[in-house]
Amino acid sequence: SQPPSANKSALIIIIIIISIIIIRSSLLPILSLPFMAALVSSASLRVATWNVLLPNSVDGWWTFKNYCPATPPSARTWESRQSLMSKKIREANPDVLALQEAGEKSYETDFSFLDDKYAYVVGDKGRMRCMTFYAKDRFSITSNTCKDRCLVTSLLDSSTDKTLWVVNVHLLTGQTNNGRRLRQVHECLRAVAKSKEPKDAVLVLGDFNTELSRESSLVKLLSDGAVAKGYVENGDAVTNKGKAQSLGRFGMVYDGSGKGEETLVAPQLVPRFWSVEGGLTPGLEAACGAVFNCYEEGGKWKEENLVEFLHDINLRDDRGSEMRFLRARMADNGELVEADVRDMYTEEVRGGKFWGVAHDLHVIGKKFDLQFPHAVLPDWYAGESRAPDGDDAEVFKAKFDHIFYLEAGLRVKEKKDMAGDDGQPMPNEAEPSDHKLLEVVFEFNG
């Protein structure tokens, strides 16, 4: 037989083996993939930004005009749009979500489907406002400031103990407003710089309402840190004294290097409506005359003619910029002539409402069986069909939405590949806005 010491050693070994098995079994749930993924993702930051196109729940009645004729009316309701938004946002599952064009009168209920996970801050001015949502089990708000069409918010991240600054922007539109857009962003960066600590992370994201290139003043401010005195953009000086920011270099997530990074897709209507010399094209001028003739009596429009026209294009006669313009002219002259209709649509086009003009021409042409000259509307649009696939001459594509990040605080881990989208004008049955949802996953530095 073995000596007692050998039996004792064997017993100890058996106890050790059993203990290892027990400990290993108890650790399996902890070492499981979901748990480890949660540990890894806790240091990651999922971010999304979306111009949602003003909700038509209470306000935004005209949103139905943004859709091409092939989209059925049922898809244009707020109930349908809200359902699509909820699905897309929940699939993206962002920790921080920046929205633009939230409705002044209805934002509390329009996005109530996010209340279970998110808290939010909202702009305090304007019909269309910025809203910044943040996961309430991860972040606590430490400051919030409303600027010119922008929100500047600081959040404390409980998972990293870091502060994240979120600058949510909906910059002014228009080719001649580069200087105003530069001032809007510069003012936000100054607000951040007043309180930012060295290790804080910073995001500047949203709808910039303009295409950006390496030579854009906004890119120079964010990436290079300064815009020179008298810098000229699109023929205009955007700053007399120069602009600078002290936060550091910002990277640009969607910089144009990837395929299909356009964030806004719409019918290509500009060359059909506006001439390179300035003013309406001959086709649209002729269409304005045809529209006038559909309602005229004795070469004039009286009250009943105007009311019929407004009902046809706006479904009511007491709303819309068309109504305000033409009623002002009628108040002055007691009647309307063809030039008034032409002048009204000139103002609509100058205001960027190409989609509204196209809608009006289509419904009037359909009602009166008109064939507008000069192909003022695309054949596919007038025929209520899809835009030709891959035909850039028929579809306008632009990258107006952007995500910038302070490189000292964040690095890009993953960004959404948008190349798989079908390229059809938006909104449509699958897209509830004329802008795409942008998504990116960051990791904190240090």
Side-chain angles (χ1 to χ4, degrees):
S1 62
Q2 293 183 341
S5 59
N7 292 335
K8 186 176 181 180
S9 298
L11 181 61
I12 292 173
I13 292 172
I14 291 171
I15 292 172
I16 291 173
I17 291 173
I18 293 172
S19 299
I20 291 173
I21 292 172
I22 293 172
I23 293 172
R24 187 171 180 270
S25 298
S26 66
L27 284 175
L28 278 177
I30 298 177
L31 296 174
S32 64
L33 285 176
F35 184 86
M36 292 303 293
L39 284 176
V40 173
S41 65
S42 66
S44 298
L45 177 69
R46 302 186 69 89
V47 173
T49 181
W50 202 2
N51 181 324
V52 295
L53 182 62
L54 185 65
N56 50 327
S57 54
V58 176
D59 200 1
W61 62 266
W62 62 86
T63 300
F64 75 93
K65 290 189 173 190
N66 286 85
Y67 287 80
C68 293
T71 305
S74 60
R76 310 183 194 196
T77 65
W78 174 242
E79 290 75 19
S80 175
R81 296 179 60 210
Q82 186 187 51
S83 177
L84 282 172
M85 287 181 191
S86 175
K87 181 176 182 291
K88 288 177 177 291
I89 292 172
R90 291 191 181 282
E91 286 176 350
N93 193 29
D95 301 303
V96 174
L97 171 65
L99 298 185
Q100 301 85 45
E101 291 201 24
E104 170 192 12
K105 299 178 180 178
S106 58
Y107 64 83
E108 291 179 321
T109 54
D110 287 340
F111 303 102
S112 59
F113 60 85
L114 296 172
D115 288 349
D116 59 333
K117 179 176 179 177
Y118 300 95
Y120 66 83
V121 290
V122 62
D124 60 2
K125 293 180 181 178
R127 191 176 197 174
M128 297 182 284
R129 302 185 178 188
C130 292
M131 291 183 78
T132 300
F133 291 83
Y134 53 94
K136 55 189 176 184
D137 63 348
R138 176 172 176 176
F139 295 99
S140 56
I141 187 168
T142 54
S143 69
N144 185 63
T145 304
C146 298
K147 295 294 184 180
D148 181 10
R149 294 170 61 101
C150 305
L151 275 179
V152 180
T153 309
S154 60
L155 303 170
L156 179 62
D157 183 358
S158 62
S159 68
T160 61
D161 201 32
K162 293 179 179 291
T163 293
L164 172 69
W165 291 84
V166 182
V167 180
N168 181 358
V169 307
H170 186 199
L171 304 185
L172 193 66
T173 189
Q175 289 188 341
T176 60
N177 288 318
N178 291 298
R180 170 79 174 275
R181 286 190 286 268
L182 179 64
R183 291 192 297 274
Q184 287 175 307
V185 173
H186 182 254
E187 184 180 357
C188 291
L189 297 179
R190 288 183 60 188
V192 173
K194 289 179 181 179
S195 303
K196 177 187 174 296
E197 297 295 333
K199 292 185 178 181
D200 291 355
V202 184
L203 291 169
V204 181
L205 73 171
D207 180 4
F208 285 65
N209 256 320
T210 186
E211 293 262 34
L212 297 180
S213 70
R214 189 65 190 84
E215 301 307 310
S216 300
S217 58
L218 286 170
V219 175
K220 288 189 170 296
L221 178 68
L222 289 162
S223 296
D224 299 342
V227 180
K229 174 182 177 181
Y231 189 78
V232 175
E233 189 170 3
N234 290 341
D236 297 318
V238 295
T239 174
N240 294 325
K241 298 181 179 180
K243 300 286 185 188
Q245 56 93 357
S246 60
L247 298 176
R249 180 178 177 81
F250 283 80
M252 190 176 181
V253 176
Y254 292 92
D255 59 3
S257 60
K259 183 181 178 181
E261 290 189 355
E262 298 87 4
T263 65
L264 184 147
V265 184
Q268 180 58 278
L269 299 170
V270 176
R272 296 175 185 269
F273 290 174
W274 195 254
S275 68
V276 292
E277 296 83 12
L280 301 186
T281 60
L284 186 52
E285 284 197 355
C288 289
V291 167
F292 179 81
N293 292 336
C294 287
Y295 301 91
E296 63 87 21
E297 293 181 15
K300 309 289 184 183
W301 277 15
K302 300 296 185 182
E303 173 66 18
E304 59 271 22
N305 309 119
L306 175 58
V307 167
E308 182 185 1
F309 167 75
L310 292 173
H311 269 281
D312 286 342
I313 65 168
N314 292 340
L315 307 181
R316 284 168 40 180
D317 63 5
D318 61 349
R319 63 188 184 184
S321 52
E322 307 94 339
M323 179 274 296
R324 291 189 290 273
F325 185 99
L326 293 176
R327 286 215 177 277
R329 287 287 179 92
M330 184 167 277
D332 290 339
N333 306 315
E335 59 189 16
L336 298 173
V337 297
E338 180 180 327
D340 295 319
V341 174
R342 185 177 62 249
D343 292 348
M344 179 270 292
Y345 276 125
T346 299
E347 289 303 302
E348 292 293 291
V349 172
R350 280 178 174 159
K353 299 178 183 178
F354 300 96
W355 42 269
V357 176
H359 165 271
D360 295 356
L361 295 182
H362 176 69
V363 298
I364 293 170
K366 189 174 181 179
K367 175 179 178 177
F368 293 97
D369 195 23
L370 290 179
Q371 297 294 324
F372 291 112
H374 305 287
V376 69
L377 289 177
D379 289 340
W380 61 268
Y381 188 101
E384 300 186 0
S385 59
R386 284 170 53 93
D389 292 333
D391 190 345
D392 289 344
E394 295 290 338
V395 177
F396 172 77
K397 298 179 180 180
K399 190 173 67 171
F400 285 177
D401 307 84
H402 302 276
I403 300 176
F404 289 88
Y405 61 99
L406 188 63
E407 293 179 347
L410 295 167
R411 60 184 179 274
V412 176
K413 180 180 179 182
E414 180 184 357
K415 66 179 182 180
K416 178 186 176 183
D417 181 9
M418 297 188 292
D421 295 338
D422 68 1
Q424 286 295 303
M426 305 185 305
N428 53 50
E429 287 184 83
E431 295 289 345
S433 173
D434 53 349
H435 292 249
K436 294 180 182 178
L437 172 69
L438 267 64
E439 306 168 43
V440 63
V441 181
F442 291 102
E443 290 181 329
F444 287 95
N445 292 329

